[in-house]
Amino acid sequence: MAKLIDGKAISVQIKDECREKVAQMKAEGVEVTLAVIQVGNDPASTVYVGNKKKACEYIGIRSLAYELPEDTTEEKLLELIGELNARKDVNGILVQLPLPKHINEEKVLDAIHPSKDVDGFHPQNVGALCIGKPGFVSCTPAGIIQLLKRSGIEIAGKECVVIGRSNIVGKPMALLLLRENGTVTVTHSRTKDLKEVTRRADILVVAIGKPKMITADYVKEGAVVIDVGIHRNENNKLCGDVDFESVEPHCSAITPVPGGVGPMTIAMLMNNCVESVALQK
Ligand code: GUN
């Protein structure tokens, strides 16, 4: 039986640590503020944004909500970001993705001042991660490192295979595992003989976006498997990119879906908000 990596419990630990730090800052007269911008009303985005606001409330972070109509122009959005960049009382700025098609996502993310980019998406923060300088790190991969560390899983010297090369998960994940002295391989849709590569992994991080694609034949006996995917199956039940029933008996540890990687993203966002205060000094 594999050890279940409990993302729910670990995310609560991190949020409680943030809560303590925020209380201490408040006692010293410092308030932490996160501005959350949503354009349009994509139902999934509304749920995510609602969860972010709730987490802020729990931790004691002030949240400013900007709910803009679907037809907001790129110019208007950039103007709002400019205002928030200039405000001394705003520490973090988050623009919920995806944005409506008429808005250039890259231009918008680049407009957020790197010192307020709590999502860690700005090229300056991505570059900082690449060369080991301080900066914000994308929340989901940062959360995965915390899952591994807090579950007592050693990364140094391990064969780490990442499936997926997105800017938000795959690429920063590879850089973080490398920073922890893992031996890292990144695979993707054009990888030849994916199974041959994934079967080398001591730590396998799966972020492909295809429900239950990874079955036991992709996994080495005793591997640690981290599942970033989240989908609804034909019975409306949540499932990941990993076929849990098939893979679990072969792992030493595995994240469930739900309750694995998912809760860590918001916990790490909160952590980035708390750290933003020191970074801005
Ligand atoms: N949409 C889905 N995930 C994310 C995220 O982590 N940050 C932002 N800004 N938008 C998202």
Side-chain angles (χ1 to χ4, degrees):
M1 271 273 281
K3 173 192 159 82
L4 270 193
I5 300 176
D6 188 347
K8 189 94 209 298
I10 296 172
S11 73
V12 172
Q13 261 178 25
I14 292 171
K15 284 193 278 186
D16 284 343
E17 289 163 14
C18 289
R19 191 150 117 145
E20 253 179 54
K21 286 183 196 154
V22 166
Q24 197 169 348
M25 284 184 198
K26 267 197 188 143
E28 292 161 3
V30 178
E31 180 148 59
V32 186
T33 300
L34 170 67
V36 180
I37 305 171
Q38 182 182 354
V39 185
N41 37 28
D42 171 66
S45 289
T46 303
V47 172
Y48 289 137
V49 165
N51 288 339
K52 287 169 187 175
K53 283 189 219 157
K54 264 191 247 162
C56 283
E57 234 169 82
Y58 177 77
I59 286 157
I61 292 174
R62 182 169 73 124
S63 71
L64 306 175
Y66 295 88
E67 283 146 20
L68 309 181
E70 179 82 22
D71 62 356
T72 301
T73 62
E74 186 178 287
E75 194 188 358
K76 271 271 169 236
L77 179 57
L78 291 172
E79 198 179 296
L80 171 61
I81 292 170
E83 283 166 24
L84 295 168
N85 279 340
R87 269 176 67 170
K88 287 223 158 49
D89 67 327
V90 173
N91 306 98
I93 304 169
L94 182 148
V95 178
Q96 188 63 31
L97 303 177
L99 285 168
K101 286 198 174 61
H102 65 277
I103 297 177
N104 181 334
E105 210 161 88
E106 195 179 322
K107 208 163 156 187
V108 168
L109 295 180
D110 288 2
I112 298 171
H113 194 278
S115 72
K116 298 191 176 187
D117 166 41
V118 284
D119 257 328
F121 294 167
H122 192 283
Q124 188 174 311
N125 284 315
V126 178
L129 169 64
C130 194
I131 59 173
K133 284 196 166 179
F136 293 112
V137 176
S138 181
C139 301
T140 301
I144 291 170
I145 295 293
Q146 288 302 313
L147 283 180
L148 294 170
K149 285 190 169 176
R150 292 176 189 241
S151 305
I153 296 162
E154 174 92 24
I155 303 167
K158 296 281 176 66
E159 287 287 339
C160 304
V161 176
V162 180
I163 316 182
R165 57 173 158 182
S166 71
N167 290 339
I168 292 179
V169 182
K171 283 179 199 156
M173 186 75 254
L175 291 167
L176 284 171
L177 290 165
L178 186 60
R179 192 164 86 177
E180 298 296 331
N181 301 307
T183 302
V184 184
T185 306
V186 182
T187 67
H188 45 79
S189 55
R190 303 283 289 271
T191 296
K192 284 187 185 140
D193 200 356
L194 180 61
K195 281 181 195 171
E196 189 270 318
V197 182
T198 59
R199 275 202 298 252
R200 288 186 225 147
D202 301 310
I203 299 173
L204 179 62
V205 179
V206 187
I208 3 176
K210 287 194 183 140
K212 294 190 174 189
M213 183 184 139
I214 298 305
T215 45
D217 46 338
Y218 286 83
V219 178
K220 178 168 85 174
E221 207 64 33
V224 173
V225 175
I226 306 291
D227 188 353
V228 183
I230 184 144
H231 315 275
R232 286 210 180 267
N233 71 8
E234 57 285 356
N235 307 318
N236 211 31
K237 258 190 74 182
L238 291 173
C239 69
D241 291 347
V242 174
D243 184 349
F244 186 89
E245 282 72 32
S246 151
V247 168
E248 185 269 344
H250 302 277
C251 304
S252 59
I254 186 167
T255 57
V257 177
V261 173
M264 295 301 292
T265 302
I266 289 186
M268 296 315 288
L269 172 69
M270 297 296 107
N271 191 60
N272 280 351
C273 291
V274 173
E275 284 189 352
S276 69
V277 176
L279 217 79
Q280 283 152 19
K281 275 186 190 155

